[in-house]
Amino acid sequence: DAGITQSPRHKVTETGTPVTLRCHQTENHRYMYWYRQDPGHGLRLIHYSYGVKDTDKGEVSDGYSVSRSKTEDFLLTLESATSSQTSVYFCAISPGQGSEKLFFGSGTQLSVL
Amino acid sequence: SQKIEQNSEALNIQEGKTATLTCNYTNYSPAYLQWYRQDPGRGPVFLLLIRENEKEKRKERLKVTFDTTLKQSLFHITASQPADSATYLCALANTGNQFYFGTGTSLTVIP
């Protein structure tokens, strides 16, 4: 999957607990993204990053925060998980200007009970 | 906000026929449009990109059209095969490298 590793692959947690998902890339791509995928909604952009320490909100950012301290790592944090955040989370990367393809990781299945 | 709609959630066709998938959008002026394939349990995989100033793009058995007046893209798979069965997603993007996806169309090619 284009040098993208998401961890963990599966996680079950309880409402109110903090959760951090990790995306690691070995492609040295500038852009990194977090999406969630739910039935009937498709892929929705949560947050994205256009460089180290440069991040911005997507269309469904409430309840989520991100950090990018190194080019290769993009972390997604649910400060206090809720059942509505049960979803499949995908990380994606893109080289940026001049190459507009997105390359996706294998996803993280998160269940909040 | 932008809205991206893809035709019927599921599409079944006979092997050898041409599958045509539709992507309509509103409240958006994309710089380009992309199509991805997604298999169960996997992340989407890029297939084709078409820019706002292009009418048609082809790659092997795949063809994409883009009508910015109708705000519509059509994705065709000719001589379809059972291995083409998957969910197909369209995505719109602006020059700011933000990508927005439709809900997808599940295609089943029946032998």
Side-chain angles (χ1 to χ4, degrees):
Chain A
D1 288 322
I4 308 169
T5 304
Q6 290 187 232
S7 58
R9 289 297 312 277
H10 303 273
K11 186 169 182 66
V12 180
T13 191
E14 294 185 349
T15 299
T17 60
V19 176
T20 296
L21 308 183
R22 180 181 184 238
C23 179
H24 178 78
Q25 61 147 327
T26 58
E27 305 295 325
N28 200 35
H29 284 351
R30 177 183 176 189
Y31 289 82
M32 298 186 76
Y33 306 80
W34 276 108
Y35 285 89
R36 61 177 289 175
Q37 188 171 37
D38 306 286
H41 290 280
L43 280 162
R44 291 181 290 175
L45 181 63
I46 305 172
H47 282 279
Y48 67 101
S49 169
Y50 45 97
V52 174
K53 292 188 168 57
D54 291 324
T55 65
D56 206 348
K57 296 179 180 179
E59 55 191 321
V60 289
S61 60
D62 287 348
Y64 301 95
S65 62
V66 290
S67 66
R68 191 171 179 197
S69 58
K70 298 185 290 184
T71 298
E72 57 266 35
D73 290 325
F74 194 32
L75 304 180
L76 177 70
T77 298
L78 291 66
E79 301 291 346
S80 177
T82 68
S83 58
S84 65
Q85 294 176 312
T86 292
S87 185
V88 180
Y89 291 85
F90 285 100
C91 173
I93 64 174
S94 173
Q97 305 304 332
S99 178
E100 299 91 347
K101 300 176 189 178
L102 278 179
F103 300 92
F104 283 84
S106 299
T108 294
Q109 172 68 61
L110 176 67
S111 297
V112 183
L113 304 179
Chain B
S1 64
Q2 73 285 342
K3 188 175 181 181
I4 306 165
E5 292 182 328
Q6 296 189 236
N7 65 319
S8 64
E9 288 189 10
L11 180 64
N12 298 325
I13 63 166
Q14 288 294 134
E15 183 176 4
K17 300 293 186 183
T18 296
T20 298
L21 284 64
T22 304
C23 177
N24 294 293
Y25 60 93
T26 57
N27 300 329
Y28 202 62
S29 295
Y32 49 92
L33 185 147
Q34 303 175 328
W35 285 89
Y36 289 78
R37 170 184 172 138
Q38 186 175 24
D39 293 288
R42 306 290 299 273
V45 175
F46 173 83
L47 295 175
L48 279 171
L49 176 152
I50 187 165
R51 301 183 188 280
E52 59 180 334
N53 60 349
E54 298 175 318
K55 296 292 186 186
E56 181 178 301
K57 243 347 178 11
R58 291 175 185 262
K59 179 183 177 182
E60 298 172 351
R61 295 185 294 111
L62 308 180
K63 185 178 85 171
V64 174
T65 63
F66 194 12
D67 189 326
T68 55
T69 301
L70 292 178
K71 294 186 182 295
Q72 180 181 79
S73 174
L74 299 179
F75 177 76
H76 306 273
I77 306 174
T78 59
S80 59
Q81 305 166 0
D84 295 326
S85 298
T87 296
Y88 292 86
L89 307 168
C90 71
L92 307 182
N94 56 26
T95 53
N97 277 85
Q98 295 180 47
F99 298 77
Y100 298 96
F101 284 81
T103 53
T105 297
S106 175
L107 174 67
T108 300
V109 181
I110 303 164

